[in-house]
Amino acid sequence: MHHKTLLVTGGAGFIGSNFIHYWLEEHPEDRIINLDKLTYAGNLDSLRDVEEKPNYRFVKGDICDKNLVNHLVSDADVIVHFAAESHNDRVNLDPEIAIHTNIIGTHVLLDAAHRHGNKRFHHISTDEVFGHLETEEGFFSEETPYNPRSFYPASKAASDYWARAYFKIKGLPVTISNCSNNFGPYQHVEKLIPLFVTNLMEGKKVPLYGDGSNIRDWLYVIDHCRAIDLIIRRGKAGETYNIGTNYEVANVDLTMKLLELLGRDESSIKRVKDRKGHDWRYAIDATKLKSELGWEPEYRFNEALERTVDWYKTNEWWWKKLKNDEFYEYCRKNYQENNR
Ligand code: NAD
Ligand code: DAU
């Protein structure tokens, strides 16, 4: 088989770093170039065990830098685009950061992929572009109309439309995947599961937003990587694939599971004001990915959650330094914003 060079953007982030580990393990003959700006969310500690590999190269830079992106794209066969401002609460505080990276950055990459002979492009998007479900009925399918309800998903929706236009107008072989909430190793402590697990390990309380009834469809990051692999190799240009598991859990129930796994009780829950415009339920119909590409999640939710908790328990070196002054300053601003 032909050996490929992948340009991975945002590879020092949560899903990107898991994807790089996964890909180098599954496709050891391929080369990876990781382009990452190393924002607060980028962390080279997540790539320590691959950094010496001869077929892995890290480049620090911004996906909005046209010269750099064109230079790197010219060396690549496939672009796998993860880089984004990914956190709703941060983007609510400063919406402009999402215009820069999520919209302009995606344009620069698509344009470079087109200029260099229409290279294969996979764009990572989110289920949040579909808006939210207000009841326990129904799922998001690939046909569900877009209806983003806040800044982060609005910027991701713009980037998805842009990617589709590059397919239709310029013939760029683009695929898009819209996935549900990921969890697993190397996820930043700003997100629900790592925040709650590490707070409980430190003997702190966990800030549960609103009434805790909001529902998410949880996807173990390794199962996500396997889905992306299938789409890159066998997906059809111009198509979108939804990725999710139907492991739907309300935040309050997830919190109870985490309390149990960490040996704490309900007195560790701190009820706080709700996130503004908080989406109620996300749920994915992944029939297309399953029937056309044969994907199934390998991990059961409870097993994957236990593995994840164990990972944070044994890797304090990785997350301790993320709980720094900058992080607590952000938490303070977020708290103020939600109480405004
Ligand atoms: P993350 O925040 O952990 O990582 C983002 C990475 O992108 C960081 O390494 C950061 O340094 C880098 N980056 C940011 N701006 C950049 C720029 N201008 N140039 C170069 N690099 C830049 O994000 P994640 O959770 O791994 O999410 C990855 C992708 O998956 C995103 O596109 C996100 O929208 C999507 N997604 C995430 C989830 C989830 O549950 N985490 C679910 C659905 C979709
Ligand atoms: O659905 C996919 C999306 O999942 C991705 O597109 C985003 O990049 C990713 O961050 C995630 O978005 P959420 O907003 O769902 O994730 P977050 O971990 O921030 O929150 C999960 C749920 O937990 C949500 O209902 C809000 C709630 N929450 C979150 C935090 C950080 C709390 O109750 N307390 C908290 O402190």
Side-chain angles (χ1 to χ4, degrees), residues 9-17 35-43 61-64 81-87 97 100-102 105 123-128 152 156 177-183 186-188 190-191 218 224:
T9 72
F14 163 47
I15 306 174
S17 61
L35 170 62
D36 196 296
K37 188 181 176 181
L38 298 182
T39 67
Y40 80 94
N43 188 346
D62 193 322
I63 56 167
C64 297
H81 176 34
F82 294 94
E85 288 294 341
S86 71
H87 193 41
I97 56 176
H100 177 82
T101 295
N102 302 5
H123 176 58
I124 311 290
S125 189
T126 171
D127 59 3
E128 290 190 37
Y152 158 73
K156 294 295 289 188
S177 53
N178 295 79
C179 67
S180 59
N181 286 61
N182 283 225
F183 68 106
Y186 304 115
Q187 185 170 30
H188 196 280
E190 69 191 358
K191 305 281 173 26
W218 290 97
H224 184 193

Side-chain angles (χ1 to χ4, degrees), residues 25-37:
E25 193 70 39
E26 295 296 317
H27 307 281
E29 307 301 322
D30 286 352
R31 284 177 61 218
I32 289 194
I33 306 167
N34 172 15
L35 170 62
D36 196 296
K37 188 181 176 181

Side-chain angles (χ1 to χ4, degrees), residues 157-209:
S159 67
D160 293 7
Y161 286 133
W162 215 252
R164 285 188 192 135
Y166 264 92
F167 169 73
K168 278 189 243 148
I169 314 289
K170 308 280 186 187
L172 189 73
V174 176
T175 45
I176 300 177
S177 53
N178 295 79
C179 67
S180 59
N181 286 61
N182 283 225
F183 68 106
Y186 304 115
Q187 185 170 30
H188 196 280
V189 294
E190 69 191 358
K191 305 281 173 26
L192 177 77
I193 291 178
L195 180 67
F196 283 21
V197 171
T198 60
N199 274 11
L200 293 172
M201 285 177 65
E202 294 175 312
K204 293 181 185 157
K205 295 196 177 199
V206 297
L208 186 61
Y209 292 166

Side-chain angles (χ1 to χ4, degrees), residues 89-307:
D89 294 319
R90 291 214 192 226
V91 177
N92 284 347
L93 283 171
D94 184 3
E96 203 170 303
I97 56 176
I99 295 183
H100 177 82
T101 295
N102 302 5
I103 302 179
I104 298 177
T106 302
H107 162 71
V108 170
L109 285 160
L110 289 163
D111 185 61
H114 170 58
R115 281 169 197 277
H116 292 276
N118 272 347
K119 299 227 161 133
R120 179 76 178 84
F121 196 109
H122 183 64
H123 176 58
I124 311 290
S125 189
T126 171
D127 59 3
E128 290 190 37
V129 296
F130 300 116
H132 75 157
L133 299 158
E134 291 176 79
T135 68
E136 288 179 17
E137 304 297 309
F139 300 91
F140 299 135
S141 80
E142 289 79 3
E143 274 72 50
T144 304
Y146 275 25
N147 185 23
R149 298 172 73 250
S150 58
F151 296 110
Y152 158 73
S155 68
K156 294 295 289 188
S159 67
D160 293 7
Y161 286 133
W162 215 252
R164 285 188 192 135
Y166 264 92
F167 169 73
K168 278 189 243 148
I169 314 289
K170 308 280 186 187
L172 189 73
V174 176
T175 45
I176 300 177
S177 53
N178 295 79
C179 67
S180 59
N181 286 61
N182 283 225
F183 68 106
Y186 304 115
Q187 185 170 30
H188 196 280
V189 294
E190 69 191 358
K191 305 281 173 26
L192 177 77
I193 291 178
L195 180 67
F196 283 21
V197 171
T198 60
N199 274 11
L200 293 172
M201 285 177 65
E202 294 175 312
K204 293 181 185 157
K205 295 196 177 199
V206 297
L208 186 61
Y209 292 166
D211 64 5
S213 68
N214 308 66
I215 294 168
R216 298 291 183 265
D217 172 335
W218 290 97
L219 171 64
Y220 190 52
V221 65
I222 308 301
D223 280 327
H224 184 193
C225 293
R226 291 176 39 250
I228 299 168
D229 185 347
L230 282 171
I231 298 168
I232 290 173
R233 288 184 297 114
R234 309 224 310 264
K236 195 166 157 241
E239 294 290 313
T240 287
Y241 300 86
N242 279 0
I243 314 173
T245 58
N246 307 128
Y247 291 123
E248 289 186 45
V249 191
N251 292 342
V252 66
D253 297 332
L254 177 54
T255 305
M256 296 307 289
K257 276 182 195 283
L258 294 175
L259 290 172
E260 199 189 314
L261 287 172
L262 275 301
R264 304 272 168 182
D265 63 32
E266 281 181 55
S267 64
S268 291
I269 300 180
K270 183 181 177 197
R271 300 266 180 179
V272 299
K273 268 272 181 73
D274 212 355
R275 172 186 283 172
K276 291 223 162 66
H278 194 174
D279 286 343
W280 192 67
R281 171 172 171 252
Y282 305 140
I284 285 273
D285 175 353
T287 307
K288 179 175 174 182
L289 182 69
K290 291 178 178 178
S291 60
E292 291 185 14
L293 302 184
W295 179 82
E296 281 294 336
E298 256 175 25
Y299 291 86
R300 297 200 161 274
F301 176 69
N302 285 329
E303 177 204 347
L305 190 66
E306 278 171 36
R307 287 173 80 106

